[in-house]
Amino acid sequence: MERRTIGATALDVGAIGLGCMPMSWAYSRSQQRGDRSLRTVHAALDAGVSLLDTADMYGPFTNELLVGRVLKERRAEAFVSTKCGLLVGDQHVVANGRPGYVRRACDASLRRLQTDVIDLYQLHRADPEVPVEETWGAMAELVSAGKVRALGLCAVGARSGRRSAGRDGYEGTIRQLERIQQVFPVAAVEAELSVWSQEALARLLPWCAARGVGFLAAMPLGSGFLTGTLTPGGGFEPDDPRARHPRFTAEMMAANQPLVAGLRRVAARHGADVTPAQVALAWVLGRGRHVVPVPGTKREHWAVENAAAASLRLTPEDLTEIATLPAPRESWD
């Protein structure tokens, strides 16, 4: 697989990563099986994927334990990214950015991951009651201590307000980045980016490119919609976040089918074995050499298919067709 470098220290990773969250957090929990998930991570590594993206809150904790079982056998092949800063309680999630907590959280993650160093340690969410510089300073101490190689900021879910063509939903994220960059270099930012969620293209992605900061594209397949495998009205399990998402009502899934149809047309031009998902991932890869899409899955088949997208090259005709696809609709439109 093609390799890409992220951050000023040129961290080397496969062009496509693996989001491990669905293996043990949200997204149809009844379908989450540990042994199958382990096979999926191994299959991804076999296909050239190296970046494994997890977090202590996924499970909580069980996702890191799962990844740790793989790292115990194949640490040299993997680039592990995990996160701290969010605590899971009974029916709620709260931020905790206190320096003491950050230090304890890192040590706990290292034990669960069965490794002596975390390649990329991300702040999952800033604590509104703790200056972000204090949290980031504690994370920087972990780099000095040799427990962490580089630091990142996770901005997934951090957009402010309703999507709007006239609003930069990542304005607050950029302000945070400007502040913490003065304390210790930001190696990577993780935020949503896909054919149907392009808000990051306005300012966040250029901010990263101008400063040599890597961009980990979360949800590059639109939480599964852009794969073309979801049926409008098929329903989701109650704990699946898509059950409450304004783009996943039966009406809106039907209304947004032209997006999938466009990706299918592009895929057909590249061969019968090329899928809409691979086209969607290739589009994300084309947003810049500092961009690494991190599609999440819990199945071997999809992990291997996603990895193969790294070799797909979209033509100017393909890009024009994708650029002219209708804008995605929400249930509130």
Side-chain angles (χ1 to χ4, degrees):
M1 180 186 290
E2 170 197 348
R3 309 291 291 186
R4 293 195 165 186
T5 56
I6 58 175
T9 55
L11 303 170
D12 180 71
V13 297
I16 291 179
L18 175 65
C20 299
M21 181 185 74
M23 300 175 187
S24 53
W25 179 257
Y27 294 105
S28 304
R29 294 188 188 181
S30 68
Q31 301 300 313
Q32 294 165 355
R33 300 185 180 95
D35 289 344
R36 182 174 67 187
S37 294
L38 284 172
R39 292 194 299 270
T40 298
V41 181
H42 282 292
L45 291 173
D46 290 342
V49 169
S50 60
L51 193 154
L52 307 178
D53 188 62
T54 182
D56 57 4
M57 75 164 287
Y58 300 158
F61 311 130
T62 54
N63 202 247
E64 286 187 330
L65 289 168
L66 185 149
V67 173
R69 292 172 64 184
V70 177
L71 294 180
K72 185 178 181 180
E73 301 177 28
R74 307 180 67 172
R75 182 65 181 93
E77 301 170 65
F79 179 101
V80 61
S81 168
T82 193
K83 312 174 189 72
C84 71
L86 287 179
L87 297 175
V88 180
D90 184 19
Q91 304 297 317
H92 70 281
V93 176
V94 297
N96 187 338
R98 292 188 293 275
Y101 167 74
V102 168
R103 299 183 192 103
R104 293 192 300 274
C106 179
D107 288 341
S109 288
L110 287 167
R111 288 193 297 270
R112 288 188 290 268
L113 292 166
Q114 301 192 58
T115 185
D116 57 2
V117 64
I118 294 166
D119 296 305
L120 179 67
Y121 201 39
Q122 297 193 65
L123 178 59
H124 214 154
R125 197 76 75 248
D127 186 337
E129 298 184 0
V130 178
V132 70
E133 292 88 348
E134 290 186 17
T135 305
W136 199 253
M139 295 174 70
E141 291 175 4
L142 299 171
V143 179
S144 299
K147 298 179 178 182
V148 171
R149 293 179 63 200
L151 303 182
L153 180 71
C154 180
V156 177
R159 283 191 302 262
S160 57
R162 177 180 164 177
R163 291 179 176 90
S164 170
R167 171 181 293 178
D168 181 357
Y170 287 110
E171 183 178 348
T173 297
I174 291 175
R175 287 198 298 268
Q176 282 185 345
L177 287 166
E178 296 283 5
R179 291 167 60 186
I180 62 178
Q181 188 81 320
Q182 303 303 310
V183 177
F184 190 87
V186 179
V189 174
E190 183 168 356
E192 185 174 0
L193 177 62
S194 70
V195 169
W196 82 342
S197 290
Q198 301 186 26
E199 295 87 348
L201 296 180
R203 288 187 61 208
L204 186 56
L205 200 63
W207 188 95
C208 292
R211 292 159 180 81
V213 174
F215 187 94
L216 307 187
M219 293 174 275
L221 298 177
S223 298
F225 182 80
L226 300 177
T227 66
T229 61
L230 299 180
T231 303
F236 300 99
E237 294 185 10
D239 57 359
D240 191 314
R242 292 173 293 187
R244 300 172 297 282
H245 195 291
R247 287 186 183 169
F248 284 96
T249 64
E251 178 186 5
M252 288 301 102
M253 287 182 69
N256 285 320
Q257 286 303 307
L259 280 166
V260 176
L263 296 177
R264 288 190 191 281
R265 289 192 298 271
V266 172
R269 290 200 286 268
H270 290 269
D273 294 333
V274 178
T275 66
Q278 291 173 326
V279 172
L281 290 172
W283 180 88
V284 174
L285 283 167
R287 298 315 93 199
R289 293 285 306 169
H290 62 308
V291 177
V292 177
V294 188
T297 186
K298 51 185 174 288
R299 297 180 185 273
E300 294 173 75
H301 172 77
W302 303 130
V304 173
E305 178 183 300
N306 292 342
S311 61
L312 178 61
R313 299 292 179 263
L314 300 180
T315 67
E317 179 186 3
D318 297 334
L319 295 173
T320 297
E321 178 156 5
I322 293 172
T324 56
L325 291 176
R329 293 178 56 190
E330 311 276 16
S331 60
W332 53 50
D333 289 340

